[in-house]
Amino acid sequence: MRIAFLTNYDSTDVGNWSGLGYYMAKSLEQQGVQLIRIDCSVRFSLAQLVKRKLIKLCWRKIQQPERDNLYLRRMAGKASRQLAGRQYDIIFAAGSLPVSFLRSDKPIVFYTDATYDGMISLYIDRNKLWEGCYMQGNRAEEEAIHNASLIFYTSEWAKNNAVAHYRANPGKIRQLCFGSNLGSDISTVQMKTLFDRRKKTLPKNFLFIGVDWVRKGAGVAIETIARLNEMGMPATITMAGCRVPPGFTLPSFVIHHPFISKEGEAGMKKLRSLYENADFFLLPTLADCTPVVFSEAASFGLPVITTDVGGCRSVVIDGVTGYCLHKENFVADATRRIISLWRDEELYESFCWQAFYHYKSELNWDAIGKKAVTALQGILK
């Protein structure tokens, strides 16, 4: 099978889109697929940049030039020129943008974690968005969905939005989570050693990884750990990736690491060490689709405590591999759930093993690549 793999960035660079395009391509190649990598990125025009600035200054509105339909048509045009004369069976895009206005006699497939409408509902106040931008964003998404022969979404939430908002055909949608981007492959024996050590560890160490302090809920995470300590449950939290807001003093139970890049082995080794030395993964995110850190936490058998937003529930199995809680009463609910796991070793170990098994069956790129290729072979038949 020969696949034209489209991205609007360099897919050989693990630093782009959290490494997802890089690992997505690698997972296909490991299944024996011949990949033709196409970088169809185009620059924003001067007119687009001026328009965004004027809309922000004059109307205090957000304008997203990457959703501009003329811009996306230029992207599709560049892709068509690079595909001309090449031999391939399927066009596979990481995200819907590269194929929104692409026309081809070959099957088109894309793999993403959200629809445009779903992302807007999570991340942006509609009142702050330029109406023309919202219309064009929806038009582009609708074109991509209806042109595709097959769509991979990472969650039931994304799939349901595609069906409800864009009238997508459910029959051409498959759910496929993103895998761990840490390249870890811990054996069952190693995992058991980790679990045995965790049972004896005090204070319990919670891991938080996220760049956006506010959106990822860093303050809520700290408040949760403070509450546990107040209740006589000794706990620390290791926070990585986020920048501490000016004037905010971190409590003594916080261990802070700035952004850690996955582009070098040193950064990967450091991140793996943080996961290995944690007892729980804590992320009270306010808005997320399907965070890759959940797959990474599962690869180390860590129970995840998070919020029930976006597609989180499709990666964290509530009550089995972790808990997906309401944002409104997160601290109280989280402390109660954590204490129940903390005090019940058998229950805690069950969560750890279930998370690890979930990684082995669903949340690793090898398994994902196999499932993707099977589905791709289906549309070729």
Side-chain angles (χ1 to χ4, degrees), residues 205-279:
N205 184 33
F206 291 74
L207 180 59
F208 171 101
I209 296 181
V211 175
D212 190 321
W213 179 277
V214 175
R215 182 171 65 83
K216 294 291 186 177
V220 178
I222 290 173
E223 187 182 346
T224 303
I225 304 306
R227 182 76 61 86
L228 286 170
N229 280 294
E230 290 167 5
M231 298 171 72
M233 312 295 284
T236 60
I237 182 166
T238 301
M239 309 186 79
C242 51
R243 182 178 296 176
V244 181
F248 185 89
T249 302
L250 293 173
S252 59
F253 56 75
V254 177
I255 304 158
H256 180 252
H257 298 274
F259 181 77
I260 303 171
S261 173
K262 292 179 179 177
E263 292 184 51
E265 183 53 36
M268 294 285 274
K269 186 177 179 181
K270 179 66 177 176
L271 284 167
R272 286 194 286 263
S273 174
L274 295 182
Y275 280 99
E276 284 176 3
N277 289 290
D279 300 290

Coordinates of all heavy atoms in Angstrom, one line a residue, residues 205-279:
N205 N 3.5 11.1 45.2 CA 3.9 12.2 44.2 C 2.9 12.2 43.0 O 2.7 11.2 42.4 CB 5.3 11.9 43.7 CG 5.8 13.0 42.8 OD1 5.4 14.2 42.9 ND2 6.6 12.7 41.8
F206 N 2.4 13.4 42.7 CA 1.4 13.6 41.6 C 2.2 14.3 40.5 O 3.0 15.2 40.8 CB 0.2 14.4 42.1 CG -0.7 13.7 43.0 CD1 -0.3 13.5 44.4 CD2 -1.9 13.2 42.6 CE1 -1.1 12.8 45.3 CE2 -2.7 12.5 43.5 CZ -2.3 12.3 44.8
L207 N 1.9 13.9 39.3 CA 2.5 14.5 38.1 C 1.5 15.3 37.3 O 0.4 14.9 37.1 CB 3.1 13.4 37.2 CG 3.9 13.9 36.0 CD1 5.0 14.8 36.3 CD2 4.4 12.7 35.1
F208 N 1.9 16.5 37.0 CA 1.1 17.4 36.2 C 2.0 17.9 35.0 O 3.1 18.4 35.3 CB 0.7 18.7 37.0 CG 0.1 19.8 36.3 CD1 -1.3 19.9 36.2 CD2 0.8 20.7 35.5 CE1 -1.9 21.0 35.5 CE2 0.3 21.7 34.8 CZ -1.1 21.9 34.8
I209 N 1.6 17.7 33.8 CA 2.3 18.1 32.6 C 1.4 18.9 31.7 O 0.4 18.5 31.3 CB 2.9 17.0 31.8 CG1 4.0 16.2 32.7 CG2 3.6 17.4 30.5 CD1 4.6 15.0 32.0
G210 N 1.8 20.2 31.5 CA 0.9 21.1 30.6 C 1.6 22.4 30.5 O 2.3 22.9 31.4
V211 N 1.5 23.0 29.3 CA 2.1 24.3 29.1 C 1.3 25.5 29.5 O 1.8 26.4 30.1 CB 2.4 24.4 27.5 CG1 3.0 25.8 27.2 CG2 3.4 23.3 27.1
D212 N 0.0 25.5 29.3 CA -0.9 26.6 29.6 C -1.3 26.5 31.1 O -2.1 25.7 31.4 CB -2.1 26.6 28.7 CG -2.9 27.8 28.7 OD1 -3.1 28.3 29.9 OD2 -3.4 28.3 27.7
W213 N -0.8 27.4 31.9 CA -1.1 27.4 33.3 C -2.6 27.4 33.6 O -3.1 26.6 34.4 CB -0.4 28.5 34.0 CG -0.6 28.6 35.5 CD1 -1.6 29.2 36.1 CD2 0.3 28.1 36.5 NE1 -1.5 29.1 37.5 CE2 -0.3 28.5 37.8 CE3 1.5 27.5 36.5 CZ2 0.3 28.1 39.0 CZ3 2.1 27.1 37.7 CH2 1.5 27.5 38.9
V214 N -3.3 28.3 33.0 CA -4.7 28.5 33.3 C -5.6 27.4 32.7 O -6.3 26.7 33.4 CB -5.2 29.9 32.8 CG1 -6.7 30.0 33.0 CG2 -4.5 31.0 33.5
R215 N -5.4 27.1 31.4 CA -6.3 26.2 30.7 C -6.1 24.7 31.2 O -7.0 24.0 31.3 CB -6.0 26.2 29.2 CG -6.9 25.2 28.4 CD -6.8 25.4 26.9 NE -5.5 25.2 26.4 CZ -5.1 23.9 26.1 NH1 -5.9 22.9 26.3 NH2 -3.9 23.7 25.6
K216 N -4.8 24.4 31.6 CA -4.6 23.1 32.1 C -4.9 22.9 33.5 O -4.8 21.8 34.1 CB -3.1 22.7 31.9 CG -2.7 22.6 30.4 CD -3.3 21.4 29.7 CE -2.8 21.2 28.3 NZ -3.4 20.0 27.6
G217 N -5.3 24.0 34.2 CA -5.7 23.9 35.6 C -4.6 23.7 36.6 O -4.8 23.0 37.6
A218 N -3.5 24.4 36.4 CA -2.4 24.2 37.3 C -2.7 24.7 38.7 O -2.4 24.0 39.7 CB -1.2 25.0 36.8
G219 N -3.4 25.8 38.8 CA -3.8 26.3 40.2 C -4.7 25.4 40.9 O -4.6 25.2 42.1
V220 N -5.7 24.7 40.2 CA -6.6 23.7 40.8 C -5.8 22.5 41.2 O -6.1 21.9 42.3 CB -7.7 23.4 39.8 CG1 -8.6 22.3 40.4 CG2 -8.5 24.6 39.3
A221 N -4.8 22.1 40.4 CA -4.0 21.0 40.8 C -3.3 21.2 42.1 O -3.2 20.4 43.0 CB -3.0 20.7 39.7
I222 N -2.7 22.4 42.3 CA -2.0 22.8 43.5 C -3.0 22.8 44.7 O -2.6 22.4 45.8 CB -1.3 24.2 43.3 CG1 -0.1 24.0 42.3 CG2 -0.8 24.7 44.7 CD1 0.6 25.3 42.0
E223 N -4.1 23.4 44.4 CA -5.2 23.4 45.5 C -5.6 22.0 46.0 O -5.8 21.8 47.1 CB -6.4 24.2 45.0 CG -7.4 24.4 46.1 CD -8.7 25.2 45.5 OE1 -8.6 25.7 44.4 OE2 -9.7 25.2 46.2
T224 N -5.6 21.1 45.0 CA -6.0 19.7 45.3 C -4.9 19.1 46.2 O -5.2 18.4 47.2 CB -6.1 18.9 44.0 OG1 -7.1 19.5 43.2 CG2 -6.5 17.4 44.3
I225 N -3.7 19.3 45.9 CA -2.6 18.7 46.7 C -2.5 19.4 48.1 O -2.3 18.7 49.1 CB -1.2 18.8 46.0 CG1 -1.3 18.2 44.6 CG2 -0.1 18.2 46.8 CD1 -1.8 16.7 44.6
A226 N -2.8 20.7 48.1 CA -2.8 21.4 49.4 C -3.9 20.8 50.3 O -3.7 20.5 51.5 CB -3.1 22.9 49.2
R227 N -5.1 20.5 49.7 CA -6.2 19.9 50.5 C -5.8 18.5 51.0 O -6.1 18.2 52.2 CB -7.4 19.8 49.6 CG -8.7 19.3 50.3 CD -9.3 20.3 51.2 NE -9.7 21.5 50.4 CZ -10.9 21.6 49.8 NH1 -11.7 20.6 49.8 NH2 -11.2 22.7 49.1
L228 N -5.1 17.7 50.2 CA -4.7 16.4 50.7 C -3.8 16.5 51.9 O -3.9 15.8 52.9 CB -4.0 15.6 49.6 CG -4.9 15.1 48.4 CD1 -4.0 14.6 47.3 CD2 -5.8 14.0 48.9
N229 N -2.8 17.4 51.8 CA -1.9 17.6 52.9 C -2.6 18.1 54.2 O -2.3 17.6 55.3 CB -0.8 18.6 52.5 CG 0.3 18.0 51.7 OD1 1.0 17.1 52.2 ND2 0.4 18.4 50.4
E230 N -3.6 19.0 54.0 CA -4.4 19.4 55.1 C -5.1 18.3 55.8 O -5.4 18.3 57.0 CB -5.4 20.5 54.7 CG -4.7 21.8 54.3 CD -5.7 22.8 53.6 OE1 -6.9 22.4 53.4 OE2 -5.3 23.8 53.1
M231 N -5.5 17.3 55.0 CA -6.3 16.2 55.5 C -5.4 15.1 56.1 O -5.8 14.0 56.4 CB -7.2 15.6 54.4 CG -8.2 16.6 53.9 SD -9.1 16.0 52.4 CE -10.1 14.7 53.1
G232 N -4.1 15.4 56.2 CA -3.2 14.4 56.8 C -2.6 13.4 55.8 O -2.1 12.3 56.2
M233 N -2.8 13.6 54.5 CA -2.3 12.7 53.5 C -1.1 13.4 52.8 O -1.3 14.2 51.9 CB -3.4 12.4 52.4 CG -4.7 12.1 53.0 SD -4.8 10.5 53.9 CE -4.7 9.3 52.6
P234 N 0.1 13.0 53.2 CA 1.3 13.7 52.7 C 1.5 13.5 51.2 O 1.6 12.4 50.7 CB 2.5 13.0 53.4 CG 1.9 11.7 53.9 CD 0.5 11.9 54.2
A235 N 1.5 14.6 50.5 CA 1.6 14.6 49.0 C 2.5 15.7 48.4 O 2.5 16.8 49.0 CB 0.2 14.7 48.4
T236 N 3.1 15.4 47.3 CA 3.8 16.4 46.5 C 3.3 16.4 45.1 O 2.6 15.5 44.7 CB 5.3 16.1 46.5 OG1 5.6 14.8 45.9 CG2 5.9 16.1 47.9
I237 N 3.6 17.5 44.4 CA 3.2 17.5 43.0 C 4.4 18.0 42.1 O 5.0 19.0 42.5 CB 2.0 18.3 42.7 CG1 1.6 18.3 41.2 CG2 2.1 19.8 43.2 CD1 0.2 18.8 40.9
T238 N 4.7 17.2 41.1 CA 5.8 17.6 40.1 C 5.1 18.2 38.9 O 4.2 17.6 38.3 CB 6.6 16.4 39.7 OG1 7.2 15.8 40.9 CG2 7.7 16.8 38.7
M239 N 5.4 19.5 38.6 CA 4.8 20.2 37.5 C 5.8 20.5 36.5 O 6.9 21.1 36.8 CB 4.1 21.5 38.1 CG 3.2 21.3 39.3 SD 2.4 22.8 39.8 CE 1.0 22.8 38.6
A240 N 5.5 20.1 35.2 CA 6.4 20.3 34.1 C 5.8 20.9 33.0 O 4.6 20.7 32.7 CB 7.0 18.9 33.7
G241 N 6.5 21.8 32.3 CA 6.0 22.4 31.1 C 5.4 23.8 31.2 O 5.5 24.6 30.3
C242 N 4.9 24.1 32.4 CA 4.2 25.4 32.5 C 5.1 26.5 33.1 O 6.0 26.2 33.8 CB 2.9 25.2 33.4 SG 3.3 24.4 35.0
R243 N 4.8 27.7 32.8 CA 5.5 28.9 33.3 C 4.7 29.4 34.5 O 3.5 29.7 34.3 CB 5.7 30.0 32.2 CG 6.4 31.2 32.7 CD 6.6 32.2 31.6 NE 7.4 31.6 30.5 CZ 7.6 32.3 29.3 NH1 7.1 33.5 29.1 NH2 8.4 31.7 28.4
V244 N 5.3 29.6 35.6 CA 4.7 30.1 36.8 C 4.3 31.6 36.6 O 5.2 32.4 36.2 CB 5.6 30.0 38.0 CG1 4.8 30.5 39.3 CG2 6.0 28.5 38.2
P245 N 3.0 32.0 36.8 CA 2.6 33.4 36.6 C 3.4 34.3 37.5 O 3.8 33.9 38.6 CB 1.1 33.3 37.0 CG 0.7 31.9 36.9 CD 1.9 31.1 37.3
P246 N 3.7 35.5 37.0 CA 4.4 36.5 37.8 C 3.7 36.8 39.2 O 2.5 36.9 39.2 CB 4.4 37.8 36.9 CG 4.2 37.2 35.6 CD 3.3 36.0 35.7
G247 N 4.5 36.8 40.2 CA 3.9 37.1 41.5 C 3.3 35.9 42.3 O 3.0 36.0 43.4
F248 N 3.3 34.7 41.6 CA 2.8 33.5 42.3 C 3.9 32.8 42.9 O 4.9 32.5 42.2 CB 2.0 32.7 41.2 CG 1.4 31.5 41.9 CD1 0.1 31.5 42.3 CD2 2.0 30.2 42.0 CE1 -0.6 30.4 42.9 CE2 1.4 29.1 42.6 CZ 0.1 29.2 43.0
T249 N 3.8 32.5 44.2 CA 4.8 31.7 44.9 C 4.4 30.3 45.0 O 3.3 30.0 45.6 CB 5.1 32.3 46.3 OG1 5.4 33.7 46.2 CG2 6.2 31.6 47.0
L250 N 5.2 29.4 44.5 CA 4.9 28.0 44.6 C 5.0 27.4 46.0 O 6.0 27.7 46.7 CB 5.8 27.2 43.7 CG 5.7 27.4 42.2 CD1 6.8 26.6 41.4 CD2 4.3 26.9 41.7
P251 N 4.1 26.7 46.5 CA 4.2 26.1 47.9 C 5.4 25.1 47.9 O 5.9 24.6 46.9 CB 2.8 25.3 48.0 CG 1.9 25.9 47.0 CD 2.8 26.4 45.9
S252 N 5.8 24.8 49.1 CA 6.9 23.9 49.3 C 6.7 22.5 48.7 O 7.7 21.8 48.4 CB 7.3 23.8 50.8 OG 6.2 23.3 51.5
F253 N 5.5 22.1 48.6 CA 5.2 20.7 48.1 C 5.2 20.6 46.6 O 5.0 19.5 46.0 CB 3.9 20.1 48.7 CG 2.7 21.0 48.4 CD1 2.1 21.0 47.1 CD2 2.1 21.8 49.4 CE1 1.0 21.8 46.8 CE2 1.0 22.6 49.1 CZ 0.4 22.6 47.9
V254 N 5.6 21.7 45.9 CA 5.6 21.7 44.4 C 7.0 21.6 43.9 O 7.9 22.4 44.4 CB 4.9 23.0 43.9 CG1 5.1 23.0 42.3 CG2 3.5 23.1 44.3
I255 N 7.3 20.7 43.0 CA 8.5 20.6 42.3 C 8.3 21.0 40.9 O 7.5 20.4 40.2 CB 9.1 19.1 42.4 CG1 9.2 18.6 43.8 CG2 10.4 19.0 41.7 CD1 9.1 17.1 43.9
H256 N 9.0 22.1 40.5 CA 8.7 22.7 39.2 C 9.8 22.5 38.2 O 11.0 22.7 38.5 CB 8.4 24.2 39.3 CG 8.1 24.9 38.0 ND1 8.9 25.7 37.4 CD2 7.0 24.8 37.2 CE1 8.4 26.1 36.3 NE2 7.2 25.6 36.2
H257 N 9.4 22.1 37.0 CA 10.4 22.0 35.9 C 9.8 22.8 34.7 O 8.6 22.7 34.4 CB 10.5 20.5 35.4 CG 11.0 19.6 36.4 ND1 12.4 19.4 36.6 CD2 10.4 18.8 37.3 CE1 12.5 18.5 37.6 NE2 11.3 18.1 38.0
P258 N 10.6 23.6 34.1 CA 10.1 24.4 32.9 C 9.9 23.4 31.7 O 9.9 22.2 31.9 CB 11.3 25.3 32.6 CG 12.5 24.7 33.2 CD 12.0 23.9 34.4
F259 N 9.6 24.0 30.6 CA 9.3 23.2 29.4 C 10.4 22.2 29.1 O 11.6 22.5 29.1 CB 9.1 24.1 28.2 CG 8.7 23.3 26.9 CD1 7.5 22.8 26.7 CD2 9.7 23.1 26.0 CE1 7.1 22.1 25.6 CE2 9.4 22.4 24.8 CZ 8.1 21.9 24.6
I260 N 10.0 20.9 28.9 CA 11.0 19.8 28.5 C 10.7 19.4 27.1 O 9.6 18.9 26.8 CB 10.9 18.7 29.5 CG1 11.1 19.1 31.0 CG2 11.9 17.6 29.2 CD1 10.8 18.1 32.0
S261 N 11.7 19.6 26.2 CA 11.5 19.2 24.8 C 11.6 17.7 24.6 O 12.5 17.1 25.2 CB 12.5 20.0 23.9 OG 12.4 19.5 22.6
K262 N 10.8 17.2 23.7 CA 10.9 15.7 23.3 C 11.8 15.5 22.1 O 12.0 14.4 21.6 CB 9.5 15.2 23.0 CG 8.6 15.1 24.2 CD 7.2 14.5 23.7 CE 6.3 14.4 24.9 NZ 4.9 14.0 24.5
E263 N 12.4 16.6 21.6 CA 13.2 16.5 20.4 C 14.6 15.8 20.6 O 15.1 15.3 19.7 CB 13.4 17.9 19.8 CG 12.1 18.5 19.3 CD 12.4 19.9 18.6 OE1 13.2 20.0 17.7 OE2 11.7 20.9 19.0
G264 N 15.1 15.9 21.8 CA 16.4 15.2 22.1 C 16.2 14.1 23.1 O 15.2 14.0 23.8
E265 N 17.1 13.2 23.1 CA 17.0 12.0 24.0 C 17.1 12.4 25.5 O 16.5 11.8 26.3 CB 18.2 11.0 23.7 CG 18.1 9.8 24.6 CD 16.8 9.0 24.5 OE1 16.1 9.0 23.5 OE2 16.4 8.5 25.6
A266 N 17.8 13.5 25.8 CA 17.9 14.0 27.2 C 16.5 14.4 27.7 O 16.2 14.1 28.8 CB 18.9 15.2 27.2
G267 N 15.8 15.1 26.8 CA 14.4 15.5 27.2 C 13.5 14.3 27.4 O 12.7 14.3 28.4
M268 N 13.6 13.4 26.5 CA 12.7 12.2 26.6 C 13.1 11.4 27.8 O 12.2 10.9 28.5 CB 13.0 11.3 25.3 CG 12.5 11.9 24.1 SD 10.7 11.9 23.9 CE 10.5 10.2 23.2
K269 N 14.4 11.3 28.2 CA 14.8 10.6 29.3 C 14.3 11.2 30.6 O 13.8 10.6 31.5 CB 16.3 10.5 29.4 CG 16.9 9.6 30.5 CD 18.4 9.5 30.4 CE 18.9 8.6 31.5 NZ 20.4 8.6 31.5
K270 N 14.3 12.6 30.6 CA 13.8 13.3 31.8 C 12.3 13.1 32.0 O 11.9 12.9 33.1 CB 14.1 14.8 31.6 CG 13.6 15.7 32.7 CD 14.4 15.4 34.0 CE 14.0 16.4 35.1 NZ 14.6 16.0 36.4
L271 N 11.6 13.2 30.9 CA 10.1 13.0 31.0 C 9.8 11.6 31.4 O 8.9 11.4 32.3 CB 9.5 13.3 29.6 CG 9.3 14.7 29.2 CD1 9.0 14.9 27.8 CD2 8.3 15.4 30.1
R272 N 10.5 10.6 30.9 CA 10.2 9.2 31.3 C 10.5 9.0 32.8 O 9.7 8.3 33.5 CB 11.0 8.2 30.5 CG 10.5 8.0 29.1 CD 11.2 6.8 28.4 NE 12.5 7.1 28.0 CZ 13.0 7.5 26.8 NH1 12.1 7.7 25.9 NH2 14.2 7.6 26.6
S273 N 11.5 9.7 33.3 CA 11.9 9.6 34.7 C 10.8 10.2 35.6 O 10.4 9.7 36.6 CB 13.2 10.4 35.0 OG 13.5 10.5 36.3
L274 N 10.1 11.3 35.1 CA 9.1 12.0 35.9 C 7.9 11.0 36.0 O 7.2 10.9 37.0 CB 8.6 13.3 35.2 CG 9.7 14.4 35.1 CD1 9.1 15.7 34.5 CD2 10.2 14.8 36.5
Y275 N 7.5 10.3 34.9 CA 6.4 9.4 34.9 C 6.7 8.2 35.8 O 5.9 7.8 36.6 CB 6.1 8.9 33.5 CG 5.3 9.8 32.7 CD1 5.9 10.7 31.7 CD2 3.9 9.9 32.8 CE1 5.2 11.5 30.9 CE2 3.2 10.8 32.0 CZ 3.8 11.6 31.1 OH 3.1 12.4 30.3
E276 N 8.0 7.7 35.8 CA 8.4 6.6 36.6 C 8.3 6.8 38.1 O 8.0 6.0 38.9 CB 9.8 6.1 36.2 CG 9.9 5.4 34.9 CD 11.3 5.0 34.5 OE1 12.2 5.4 35.3 OE2 11.5 4.5 33.4
N277 N 8.6 8.1 38.4 CA 8.6 8.5 39.8 C 7.3 9.1 40.4 O 7.3 9.6 41.5 CB 9.8 9.4 40.1 CG 11.1 8.8 39.9 OD1 11.5 8.0 40.8 ND2 11.8 9.1 38.9
A278 N 6.2 9.0 39.6 CA 4.9 9.5 40.0 C 4.1 8.3 40.5 O 4.3 7.2 40.2 CB 4.3 10.2 38.9
D279 N 3.1 8.7 41.3 CA 2.1 7.7 41.8 C 0.7 7.9 41.2 O -0.1 7.0 41.0 CB 1.9 7.8 43.3 CG 3.2 7.6 44.1 OD1 3.7 6.4 44.1 OD2 3.8 8.5 44.6

